Amino acid sequence: MENKRVVSGINPSGSSLHIGNYFGAIKHQIGLQEKMETYYFVADLHALTTVKDKETLQENIKNVVLDYLALGLNPDRCVFFRQSDVPQHSQMAVVLGNYVTYSHMKRMHAFKDKLQKGENEESINMGLFNYPILMAADILLYKPDGVPVGEDQRQHVEIARDIADSFNKAYKKEVLVLPEPMISTETGKIIGTDGTRKMSKSLGNVIEIFADEEIIKKQIMGCFTDPNRLKATDPGTVEGNPVFVFHDLFNEDKAEVEDLKNRYREGRVGDVEVKEKLFAAHQRYFEAAKKKREELTRNPELVQKILRDGANKAIKLASATINEVYETVGIVN
Ligand code: ADP
Ligand code: TRP
């Protein structure tokens, strides 16, 4: 085991996880459990920026906790918790906001994206605007070496580094650690079923992992393919074609994938067959995780215990950092 620590979180702003989350971030995070000290959490306070319905929020949190555990988080190896169970995240955010400027914050993409999507400044809440500060708090509290996330979170890790740096400079002391973003060059940005934008729950171009079979089937059957191929007998392009991107990700029958690609290039296979095989591959790939999720659903006490134990461990580290930060700035009672 390397003597390194990583931290990462998932925002439960949607009802369940998709394959972009899994191949872009979670699979990597799970692999790291064997090698490093890992702190992973459900960023429930972050979800308030978009979810304003109590039942929906509670349901989303419950689902993301179950999804994350079912996909292979091992509570014996990693510290798994809910952000809101560790009050130091909020405390740290209040302090860190003082070490970043308004103009820097205005360049953050989560906020800029909303403006681009036609929202105006009047409709953007301060939770969303401040999102990167809370996220910096989530990260810096644990003094991690790295933050395993997808490409879309790079800017947020970078601002966390900038905040840590300006904090350290203000007090001429290396209190906070500047973590590295850990982003896969191959799978850091998974394309959506629309074939153009990154897969994202807010864009509705996802293939979910644990949704009902009919829903997943619909998501797969509705996936874009080669737009220039009008008939099954036309030769098609495989590279960058989302159905084949997905086959490469989770169809472990590599001979089948090769055969489909060859026939697709030669105009000897229809989209329906390619997609039906993709659906079957999805079922095989996530079968064990689905079983695990069902077991966990039947055992809510165990899930509660995992979260409680995780929060207790996280609080130890987080409170040591916040005490050090308070001490550094001069808030000592
Ligand atoms: P979404 O964009 O669907 O709202 P989140 O922002 O909750 O997803 O992302 C959770 C984690 O999954 C983050 O680490 C994020 O970088 C990663 N992720 C999300 N979508 C993708 C994608 N299409 N490709 C790669 N990683 C992704
Ligand atoms: N912003 C991340 C996302 O949308 C979730 C997140 C919150 C996070 N705090 C974090 C990720 C800290 C890594 C580290 O998915």
Side-chain angles (χ1 to χ4, degrees):
M1 182 133 153
E2 288 175 53
N3 200 9
K4 289 207 165 149
R5 183 184 302 144
V6 296
V7 62
S8 196
I10 299 262
N11 178 351
S13 55
S15 58
S16 79
L17 298 180
H18 55 75
I19 61 167
N21 299 139
Y22 182 68
F23 291 102
I26 296 174
K27 191 172 175 218
H28 186 200
Q29 292 166 3
I30 286 165
L32 291 171
Q33 296 180 120
E34 305 305 317
K35 294 187 239 154
M36 297 179 187
E37 210 185 316
T38 47
Y39 282 74
Y40 298 140
F41 62 93
V42 175
D44 49 2
L45 291 169
H46 274 110
L48 283 175
T49 57
T50 52
V51 185
K52 299 290 195 325
D53 176 76
K54 178 178 173 179
E55 276 74 36
T56 307
L57 183 62
Q58 289 184 317
E59 198 54 28
N60 288 0
I61 297 168
K62 190 181 94 194
N63 279 328
V64 171
V65 165
L66 290 170
D67 288 3
Y68 221 157
L69 284 170
L71 287 169
L73 280 201
N74 176 354
D76 294 331
R77 300 209 69 109
C78 101
V79 178
F80 180 55
F81 59 100
R82 261 185 313 234
Q83 180 188 35
S84 59
D85 283 338
V86 183
Q88 287 78 8
H89 289 241
S90 310
Q91 292 178 291
M92 185 76 162
V94 172
V95 175
L96 293 181
N98 300 294
Y99 306 87
V100 58
T101 64
Y102 171 65
S103 81
H104 194 165
M105 290 294 291
K106 274 206 302 190
R107 296 200 295 275
M108 291 294 106
H109 62 56
F111 158 72
K112 278 189 357 198
D113 283 357
K114 291 266 169 172
L115 286 183
Q116 261 166 18
K117 282 182 196 150
E119 292 204 30
N120 55 30
E121 287 194 11
E122 276 72 49
S123 65
I124 288 173
N125 68 61
M126 284 306 290
L128 181 75
F129 187 73
N130 285 333
Y131 190 108
I133 299 177
L134 180 57
M135 180 157 162
D138 299 338
I139 296 172
L140 300 177
L141 270 180
Y142 299 93
K143 300 191 174 184
D145 299 281
V147 186
V149 281
E151 183 60 45
D152 58 341
Q153 297 299 316
R154 182 186 294 279
Q155 195 189 44
H156 289 152
V157 181
E158 277 164 5
I159 198 172
R161 288 172 60 92
D162 292 339
I163 293 175
D165 193 42
S166 77
F167 183 92
N168 290 346
K169 288 210 169 95
Y171 300 97
K172 301 185 182 57
K173 219 167 131 188
E174 296 300 303
V175 178
L176 301 175
V177 171
L178 276 60
E180 294 297 327
M182 297 166 79
I183 299 168
S184 159
T185 43
E186 282 154 42
T187 59
K189 188 174 175 189
I190 307 291
I191 196 161
T193 54
D194 56 4
T196 48
R197 297 169 299 178
K198 78 143 202 155
M199 184 174 288
S200 174
K201 58 192 164 247
S202 62
L203 297 172
N205 60 357
V206 302
I207 297 177
E208 283 168 274
I209 298 175
F210 298 109
D212 289 342
E213 270 178 27
E214 307 84 76
I215 295 179
I216 292 169
K217 188 150 202 190
K218 217 164 153 194
Q219 290 168 339
I220 290 179
M221 298 315 281
C223 189
F224 275 59
T225 55
D226 177 352
N228 299 318
R229 186 172 182 257
L230 303 176
K231 306 189 295 297
T233 49
D234 291 342
T237 305
V238 161
E239 288 69 31
N241 183 332
V243 278
F244 287 104
V245 171
F246 303 146
H247 265 294
D248 282 334
L249 286 174
F250 57 78
N251 189 348
E252 289 181 324
D253 185 347
K254 295 300 164 207
E256 178 175 274
V257 178
E258 268 322 292
D259 170 61
L260 287 172
K261 284 183 180 174
N262 288 336
R263 288 197 286 135
Y264 197 84
R265 288 194 183 99
E266 292 162 6
R268 291 192 292 112
V269 64
D271 281 1
V272 171
E273 183 182 339
V274 178
K275 289 177 179 175
E276 276 172 352
K277 293 210 156 106
L278 186 62
F279 175 66
H282 182 291
Q283 289 197 297
R284 292 195 298 273
Y285 192 89
F286 292 110
E287 196 185 345
K290 272 187 220 160
K291 280 219 181 79
K292 175 90 198 163
R293 198 181 188 288
E294 278 159 23
E295 277 167 32
L296 289 163
T297 310
R298 283 195 297 271
N299 201 345
E301 294 79 24
L302 174 67
V303 176
Q304 285 306 327
K305 183 177 183 314
I306 291 170
L307 291 170
R308 238 187 352 260
D309 291 351
N312 288 335
K313 288 186 199 153
I315 284 172
K316 283 211 178 91
L317 197 51
S319 60
T321 307
I322 196 81
N323 288 343
E324 198 186 347
V325 163
Y326 276 1
E327 171 78 32
T328 303
V329 300
I331 295 185
V332 202
N333 300 325

